[in-house]
Amino acid sequence: MASGDWRHVWCSNAFFLGKWVTSKINTSFPLGTWGINISGSLLLGLLAALHVKNMAPDWMWLLLGIGFLGAFTNFSTFAYETIQMLERKENRPAAIYVVTSVAFSILFVWIGQYIGRIV
């Protein structure tokens, strides 16, 4: 399977996992995508720090960091779900989703990098 094929599979799995998680909770807030993006950010920060310290080889950074985690965290789904909430006039949840997604993703990349630096 070519690398692009794997990226498609990983991205599809993340999308369906996010939808499944959200369907199990009685809310229109997209908790599945939110959790995937934040947890993926933590892992990306950790892997980036390990790569900078030469504790994760280039192939691992490319395969897991850019490939798997790049496909697992899903900005297009985040944008689509935000638009869906705005169209349903769920302005406050949409604003909370946008602000917390961006802020927590950045925070969790930093936390992942911090953990990677002290390992």
Side-chain angles (χ1 to χ4, degrees), residues 41-114:
S41 295
L42 175 72
L43 294 173
L44 186 63
L46 175 61
L47 186 59
L50 295 176
H51 183 250
V52 167
K53 290 173 56 174
N54 293 318
M55 294 177 68
D58 288 342
W59 67 265
M60 185 181 292
W61 169 249
L62 293 172
L63 180 67
L64 298 178
I66 294 171
F68 176 74
L69 292 171
F72 185 68
T73 57
N74 205 331
F75 190 77
S76 58
T77 301
F78 160 72
Y80 175 73
E81 290 170 340
T82 301
I83 294 300
Q84 283 184 319
M85 287 190 290
L86 291 171
E87 288 176 348
R88 292 189 305 259
K89 307 290 188 228
E90 298 173 353
N91 297 334
R92 184 176 177 165
I96 291 169
Y97 183 45
V98 168
V99 170
T100 61
S101 291
V102 172
F104 286 158
S105 291
I106 292 169
L107 174 65
F108 276 74
V109 166
W110 180 81
I111 291 170
Q113 287 182 327
Y114 179 79

